[in-house]
Amino acid sequence: MLKLLRGSSTFHIRKILMFQPFRCPQLSINLSSKPATSTEFNSSNAQQAMFSDGNIVAKVCNSLSLPGWKSSPVLKSISPRLKPYHVAKIVDSHRNPDEALQFFYWVSKWHFYKHDIGSFMSMINRLVRDRVFVQVDHLRILMIKACGSEDEIMRVMEYFSSFSGREMEFSLYSYNTLLIQLGKFGVLSAAQIVYRQMLSQSVMPNLLTLNTMINILCKKGKVREAEIIFSRIIQYDMSPDVFTYTSLILGYCRESNLDKAFEIFYKMLKEGCDPNSVTYTNLINGLCKKGRLEEALNMIEEMVDKGIEPTVHTYTVPLNSFCVAGCVKEALKLLAKMKKICRPNVQTYTALISGMSGVGHLEVAVGLYNRMLKDGLLPNTVTYNALIRGFCTTGRFNDALKIFEWMEGRDQLPNSNTFNEIIMGFCSLGRTDKAMIFFDKMLKVGPPPTVVTYNILINGYLKQGIVDNATRLLELMVENRCEPDEWTYTELLSGFCKWGKTDIASTFFQEMPKRGIHPNQAHYCSLIDGYCKEGKLDDALSLFLRMEKDGCAPNVETYNAILGVISKGNYLQKTEVICNKMVEGGMLPNVVTYTTLIDGLCKNGNTDAAFKILERMEEKNSVPNLYTYSSLVYGLCLEGKAEAAERLIDEMERKGISPDHITFTSLIDGFVSLGRLNKGFLLLRRMFMCGCTPNYRTYSVLLKGLQKEFQSLEEKVLTNNEMVSSCSENDKSISFEMFSDLLARMLENGCEPTVQTYETLAAGLCQEGRSDEANQLVKDMKERGFCATKEIYNSLLIAHCKNLNVDAALKVFELRTAECHEQHLYIHIALICVLCRTNRLEEAKSLFEAMLEEQWSPDEIVWSLFIDRLLKDGKVDFCMQLLHVMESRNRNPTLQTCMMLAREVAKVNESRVPEKHQQLA
């Protein structure tokens, strides 16, 4: 019996299982590992008593009662310990409001102290209570200026709304200060309320008021409403200034209406209002957004000619735009010009580094980073994130990790975006196990995962087909109060449909409205496409009709998905109906539409009709692509017209379309089916020469031909000996000798086998469960001087595990480790499971302990090993033993994962009850 420690994950799981429904257990944390001594206790208590909250407040209040309190030594000694909540108590309790106010102003001048919203509220409350209104408006203005976030400014507004009476009415200065702060945090709705309230109180707005409102509206793209405010400027007989016109120009640029923006600009010049650098910067940014880079450069020149000095912000967007457009030389020339006028800052270099990395010029980005350091500029987190993104997208993942580790080791702490870049990099490599390590770090030490983090990981798991873990992440996401968004469900729907799990995808689809997310076109298309791929035409059409009723118009991709399933079913009349409906909806068939129809016809043996579609396609100037020709090649070969199919491939190449492995495999299969194996090998050589890599299906077609050739020779020998063979072709599996023959024939035909050839063949054999033949192949490979790759080892190891060939699997594992190949989490899990199934539990436990040293995510271990493997095999007790090992190594999963495990353990235990009853009976 395991000794269960209170506070351990095992204890929690046991405890959770005792109660239904499940409740989160409370965790107790000991902050000290040893008891305090009596001396330490007394000293600590004395110090706490001296500087307790009540004592500090009392001492300050006493000091304020004395003349010349500002020079009081007691007050000076206590002041560094003052916190805003102390000041709030002091101003609230001190007998004299004037002295309390003086103290409030006095303490704010110290460098170590800053008032918070609470202390301002206490001071204002005190003055209102004592009806001392003279300083209230000034304090209110200071309070508004002290707001550092949207939450704080909204809290202040709510506080102001609790007052009534003319004594507390806002002055024009107060209203303007509040509007400026609301604009700073982009709270448009609140600013509009304040503006309307101001007018209702008959407070006459000035130009600053109207300019502030115009600027807020334009930043939010509400230019029409801004124009109404602009008309008030004229109505009040005021003159618009540079700020007014510049704000309007910004608004029009943001809605990409450059004609109107320049109209305002020329009006400004006509009215004799001189533009400033911000005016020009807004126009330059608008031109860059539209890709009009030459005009943007001309405007910079115009600025300089007029004596308006461009700022660093003037250059930042054009520099980035040149990078995004791939104009590296132009960007660097502009940077050189910029340096003659103003010094690039961190944001300038960061924009350049991000732009260069984004278009694949990583070396230039690294050079700019080094130049930045030489210029004495300290890169920020955004700079490092841009470099990490660049390294990840170009496959230099180790360099990305070095930057991450460097950031962690210094004050430049990674933020959520940094983690997201690293996690995305690992997921793009198919290494969600490594990505989860960083996710685990975010959960434990921060920064907290964002919705983007969860979406990246969900997408990573779904790409690998690990759908259960994707669902668990969604559950974890909700538990951690991170609301799924439209993109989360887009990933879930497309991912589950990809792996043929449309029932679960449908559940997610129905769940969306409950979370306040209205399904969009992408969601409908994903599910419709999933139904179509599974041949569920009725479900697809039903959802298609619902989509239209919900006001979500189907796009071309939706029609193509439905046409695909209809054409494969050879429902020609329905195909015509859908096509007509598509045209009625204002959508023209595209290359995918035509190819979908051609593919369906070819698979139904109707290539004549398919070629008629091709003719119509070309008449409509829709250029056939690789998939169009591949479908036709397949159809011709299916009908035994391999020669015609080969001519079609020649036509493809003349049009600059390179055949892929699917096209070549179809053609090889066509000739092999006609008994022309030598032609098949010649096509394989042509395939190699085109740089097209054969897959296992390609080799299988040739093996089928070799087997057929061998059987033909065998039948001739038997016939000559007057014997009859009772074995049919299907009864004979392809032997390893046939693989050797394949490699020999490849060599004869100028297709020298490569490491990739062996990798493809080994993987295929392993998927068929033929691990012994795969072993022989690897042995042959080594005899030819090739080294086995990690992919070959992985294929072998998984195949041995499936066949319960434990010793062979362990041997491959040792070989892989000895050759310094990095182990994947799923490799460890596969080995542990096969050891458990063969009752070699001690070895499994030892391997598990070794696995923990590699710092995998404890959540993923529990999900993938405990829940998906051990519990499904009924290994509850061993599962608990391993959980205890995790705890002893301080590798505890999150509470949500413990809850998941507890539920799964409960299910296993419930299923055991009937078995026990049967035994008793």
Side-chain angles (χ1 to χ4, degrees):
M1 179 75 66
L2 284 170
K3 182 180 179 182
L4 302 176
L5 302 173
R6 181 173 288 273
S8 70
S9 301
T10 318
F11 169 76
H12 288 315
I13 290 170
R14 302 277 190 194
K15 186 177 178 183
I16 290 165
L17 288 171
M18 292 169 66
F19 302 101
Q20 296 292 336
F22 296 111
R23 290 184 176 88
C24 296
Q26 293 182 346
L27 302 177
S28 58
I29 303 170
N30 295 319
L31 298 176
S32 177
S33 58
K34 62 175 183 178
T37 62
S38 59
T39 308
E40 287 172 335
F41 181 80
N42 291 334
S43 172
S44 176
N45 272 8
Q47 195 175 22
Q48 284 176 14
M50 186 184 297
F51 294 108
S52 65
D53 290 345
N55 206 8
I56 286 173
V57 172
K59 282 181 178 293
V60 172
C61 286
N62 289 337
S63 297
L64 294 178
S65 302
L66 301 172
W69 57 266
K70 290 181 183 178
S71 57
S72 166
V74 174
L75 195 56
K76 284 183 178 179
S77 66
I78 292 175
S79 293
R81 293 182 176 272
L82 285 172
K83 299 288 184 282
Y85 66 88
H86 292 137
V87 173
K89 287 181 181 178
I90 291 161
V91 299
D92 186 57
S93 61
H94 188 60
R95 57 183 177 79
N96 189 323
D98 290 331
E99 285 178 355
L101 183 60
Q102 286 180 49
F103 166 73
F104 187 84
Y105 286 136
W106 174 81
V107 74
S108 67
K109 294 175 182 177
W110 290 96
H111 67 88
F112 49 74
Y113 178 82
K114 186 181 179 182
H115 287 306
D116 67 2
I117 303 305
S119 60
F120 274 110
M121 287 179 179
S122 295
M123 190 69 251
I124 292 172
N125 287 341
R126 176 65 192 275
L127 294 176
V128 173
R129 189 179 71 203
D130 292 340
R131 305 196 65 74
V132 182
F133 296 109
V134 178
Q135 289 290 325
V136 168
D137 196 52
H138 178 60
L139 280 169
R140 182 162 49 200
I141 290 165
L142 292 176
M143 183 182 182
I144 292 166
K145 288 180 176 179
C147 292
S149 67
E150 182 183 335
D151 289 340
E152 286 189 352
I153 194 72
M154 296 309 292
R155 183 183 164 201
V156 165
M157 282 189 66
E158 189 178 344
Y159 169 71
F160 290 151
S161 67
S162 65
F163 288 99
S164 61
R166 295 194 65 81
E167 296 87 352
M168 288 298 291
E169 284 182 358
F170 275 53
S171 65
L172 176 61
Y173 188 13
S174 293
Y175 273 121
N176 283 346
T177 307
L178 183 55
L179 286 172
I180 288 166
Q181 282 293 81
L182 289 168
K184 178 183 173 182
F185 300 116
V187 194
L188 173 59
S189 56
Q192 288 172 316
I193 291 167
V194 171
Y195 178 69
R196 284 194 291 268
Q197 182 186 323
M198 180 182 178
L199 297 178
S200 69
Q201 295 291 331
S202 300
V203 177
M204 182 69 176
N206 61 9
L207 186 60
L208 176 60
T209 317
L210 300 173
N211 276 349
T212 304
M213 283 304 299
I214 288 170
N215 188 256
I216 295 169
L217 288 163
C218 287
K219 280 181 177 176
K220 292 290 183 180
K222 307 276 186 181
V223 194
R224 303 291 169 270
E225 293 175 47
E227 284 177 334
I228 295 168
I229 305 290
F230 179 77
S231 67
R232 293 277 173 90
I233 293 177
I234 310 302
Q235 182 186 334
Y236 293 145
D237 210 19
M238 300 175 192
S239 296
D241 63 6
V242 63
F243 189 87
T244 320
Y245 289 118
T246 301
S247 294
L248 286 169
I249 287 168
L250 172 68
Y252 284 117
C253 286
R254 289 213 167 165
E255 64 172 28
S256 298
N257 191 346
L258 283 184
D259 291 340
K260 192 68 178 174
F262 274 99
E263 186 183 314
I264 296 291
F265 178 70
Y266 295 131
K267 181 180 179 181
M268 179 183 183
L269 296 174
K270 188 179 178 181
E271 295 291 332
C273 182
D274 293 330
N276 60 19
S277 62
V278 181
T279 317
Y280 274 100
T281 300
N282 287 341
L283 285 167
I284 289 163
N285 290 351
L287 288 166
C288 289
K289 186 180 174 184
K290 283 285 196 177
R292 292 158 65 175
L293 299 181
E294 285 300 320
E295 292 174 70
L297 289 181
N298 291 337
M299 285 220 78
I300 294 175
E301 294 296 330
E302 184 182 315
M303 280 181 76
V304 176
D305 292 342
K306 287 185 176 182
I308 302 168
E309 193 170 288
T311 66
V312 68
H313 303 292
T314 312
Y315 287 101
T316 300
V317 171
L319 283 167
N320 187 58
S321 298
F322 273 119
C323 292
V324 171
C327 305
V328 179
K329 289 180 181 178
E330 288 81 356
L332 295 176
K333 280 180 186 176
L334 186 59
L335 179 65
K337 284 183 181 180
M338 176 188 178
K339 286 183 175 181
K340 292 175 184 177
I341 297 171
C342 60
R343 187 170 179 260
N345 63 10
V346 174
Q347 286 72 33
T348 313
Y349 276 110
T350 300
L352 278 166
I353 289 166
S354 179
M356 293 293 181
S357 300
V359 293
H361 293 285
L362 192 57
E363 295 308 320
V364 179
V366 173
L368 286 164
Y369 169 75
N370 292 328
R371 169 53 60 189
M372 183 179 181
L373 296 178
K374 286 178 183 176
D375 287 351
L377 294 171
L378 185 65
N380 58 24
T381 304
V382 182
T383 319
Y384 289 118
N385 288 353
L387 281 170
I388 287 170
R389 188 185 311 116
F391 282 127
C392 287
T393 52
T394 53
R396 291 172 60 178
F397 207 67
N398 289 334
D399 290 324
L401 284 174
K402 282 176 187 174
I403 294 175
F404 184 89
E405 288 161 6
W406 188 92
M407 289 174 74
E408 276 196 312
R410 287 161 179 79
D411 292 336
Q412 200 72 49
L413 292 175
N415 60 17
S416 296
N417 290 335
T418 322
F419 276 94
N420 290 346
E421 294 294 348
I422 293 290
I423 288 169
M424 185 180 284
F426 275 123
C427 288
S428 67
L429 297 173
R431 294 302 303 270
T432 45
D433 50 356
K434 288 290 185 185
M436 280 296 291
I437 297 167
F438 286 83
F439 176 73
D440 187 55
K441 192 180 288 188
M442 291 179 84
L443 288 174
K444 288 179 179 174
V445 297
T450 63
V451 64
V452 176
T453 318
Y454 286 103
N455 288 349
I456 292 168
L457 282 164
I458 286 169
N459 176 260
Y461 277 123
L462 290 172
K463 276 184 176 177
Q464 292 179 276
I466 310 173
V467 293
D468 288 337
N469 283 4
T471 309
R472 287 172 189 134
L473 271 169
L474 179 68
E475 189 177 331
L476 196 65
M477 186 179 187
V478 175
E479 288 282 342
N480 288 333
R481 297 181 181 179
C482 183
E483 283 298 313
D485 62 6
E486 286 185 356
W487 189 249
T488 315
Y489 283 99
T490 302
E491 296 291 358
L492 288 166
L493 290 171
S494 61
F496 275 86
C497 288
K498 177 186 174 182
W499 298 101
K501 296 183 181 290
T502 51
D503 291 341
I504 300 172
S506 179
T507 304
F508 286 130
F509 185 82
Q510 291 163 17
E511 180 186 293
M512 288 174 69
K514 297 173 188 175
R515 294 198 178 278
I517 302 170
H518 187 72
N520 61 27
Q521 197 178 65
H523 301 128
Y524 276 105
C525 289
S526 292
L527 193 51
I528 288 170
D529 187 54
Y531 283 139
C532 288
K533 283 175 181 173
E534 287 188 31
K536 297 178 179 178
L537 182 58
D538 292 339
D539 290 330
L541 289 171
S542 173
L543 194 62
F544 179 77
L545 294 172
R546 178 181 160 185
M547 180 181 186
E548 290 185 299
K549 285 178 185 176
D550 283 354
C552 192
N555 59 11
V556 178
E557 286 72 25
T558 317
Y559 282 106
N560 289 345
I562 290 174
L563 284 169
V565 70
I566 292 173
S567 61
K568 281 172 189 171
N570 211 15
Y571 304 117
L572 295 178
Q573 288 183 339
K574 284 187 179 181
T575 301
E576 195 172 340
V577 170
I578 295 294
C579 284
N580 291 336
K581 193 174 178 63
M582 183 179 174
V583 174
E584 285 168 15
M587 280 163 281
L588 294 174
N590 60 15
V591 62
V592 179
T593 317
Y594 289 117
T595 301
T596 301
L597 294 170
I598 287 168
D599 185 59
L601 290 166
C602 287
K603 284 178 178 172
N604 281 290
N606 195 348
T607 53
D608 290 338
F611 274 100
K612 285 178 184 176
I613 298 273
L614 180 67
E615 287 172 15
R616 194 190 311 169
M617 183 179 181
E618 290 173 333
E619 285 169 8
K620 298 288 183 182
N621 295 320
S622 183
V623 181
N625 62 16
L626 169 65
Y627 305 104
T628 318
Y629 283 109
S630 290
S631 298
L632 289 164
V633 167
Y634 176 84
L636 288 168
C637 289
L638 196 67
E639 293 178 6
K641 300 172 182 176
E643 295 282 358
E646 188 176 15
R647 287 194 294 273
L648 198 60
I649 284 187
D650 294 337
E651 184 185 322
M652 281 176 69
E653 291 182 329
R654 282 195 300 273
K655 290 182 177 180
I657 303 170
S658 300
D660 67 354
H661 66 277
I662 295 171
T663 324
F664 273 117
T665 301
S666 296
L667 189 58
I668 291 168
D669 194 17
F671 278 105
V672 168
S673 297
L674 294 173
R676 296 178 62 183
L677 182 58
N678 288 336
K679 179 66 176 178
F681 276 105
L682 289 173
L683 285 168
L684 182 69
R685 185 174 68 182
R686 181 176 173 181
M687 190 175 180
F688 270 95
M689 289 172 71
C690 289
C692 184
T693 307
N695 61 7
Y696 189 66
R697 160 79 181 143
T698 316
Y699 293 123
S700 297
V701 166
L702 290 165
L703 285 163
K704 179 184 75 174
L706 286 168
Q707 187 183 38
K708 194 174 178 182
E709 187 179 76
F710 175 78
Q711 286 173 347
S712 177
L713 289 170
E714 190 179 49
E715 284 170 9
K716 284 180 182 178
V717 171
L718 290 172
T719 304
N720 290 337
N721 293 328
E722 297 181 349
M723 294 172 65
V724 179
S725 173
S726 60
C727 282
S728 69
E729 183 179 331
N730 293 331
D731 291 333
K732 290 177 178 283
S733 63
I734 297 170
S735 64
F736 177 72
E737 286 73 18
M738 207 69 73
F739 280 86
S740 299
D741 195 20
L742 171 71
L743 295 168
R745 291 283 283 273
M746 282 176 66
L747 200 59
E748 286 171 16
N749 285 276
C751 308
E752 190 171 348
T754 61
V755 172
Q756 202 168 21
T757 308
Y758 283 100
E759 205 172 87
T760 303
L761 290 170
L765 284 166
C766 289
Q767 283 176 359
E768 292 175 356
R770 299 169 64 183
S771 54
D772 290 337
E773 287 97 327
N775 265 335
Q776 285 180 278
L777 194 69
V778 172
K779 186 180 176 184
D780 181 78
M781 175 186 182
K782 289 181 177 178
E783 287 173 359
R784 290 173 185 260
F786 294 114
C787 293
T789 63
K790 62 181 178 181
E791 286 75 18
I792 289 176
Y793 282 132
N794 288 348
S795 298
L796 279 171
L797 199 146
I798 297 300
H800 287 317
C801 288
K802 283 181 180 176
N803 294 335
L804 300 183
N805 196 346
V806 184
D807 292 326
L810 288 171
K811 187 178 179 182
V812 173
F813 183 79
E814 288 166 9
L815 277 170
R816 199 180 188 283
T817 306
E819 293 183 17
C820 300
H821 288 302
E822 189 182 16
Q823 303 288 6
H824 287 242
L825 178 63
Y826 75 87
I827 294 292
H828 288 89
I829 288 173
L831 273 173
I832 290 166
C833 291
V834 75
L835 287 166
C836 289
R837 284 178 185 170
T838 52
N839 290 317
R840 293 164 68 165
L841 299 182
E842 284 305 314
E843 288 176 82
K845 189 175 178 182
S846 298
L847 184 60
F848 182 77
E849 288 170 348
M851 184 183 85
L852 292 180
E853 292 174 9
E854 298 197 28
Q855 297 299 308
W856 305 107
S857 164
D859 281 336
E860 190 171 28
I861 291 171
V862 173
W863 297 347
S864 305
L865 177 59
F866 294 2
I867 298 175
D868 284 347
R869 301 294 187 90
L870 296 180
L871 290 181
K872 285 181 180 177
D873 287 346
K875 305 282 186 184
V876 178
D877 295 334
F878 188 63
C879 180
M880 288 302 173
Q881 285 183 45
L882 296 188
L883 186 64
H884 187 67
V885 171
M886 286 181 74
E887 291 163 359
S888 66
R889 301 289 182 89
N890 198 26
R891 301 297 309 281
N892 297 314
T894 57
L895 185 59
Q896 291 91 341
T897 292
C898 288
M899 296 287 287
M900 289 180 202
L901 181 58
R903 287 194 288 270
E904 295 302 322
V905 170
K907 286 178 188 175
V908 175
N909 287 339
E910 284 172 13
S911 67
R912 285 177 168 182
V913 173
E915 291 176 14
K916 289 180 180 178
H917 284 308
Q918 286 174 10
Q919 288 173 5
L920 288 170

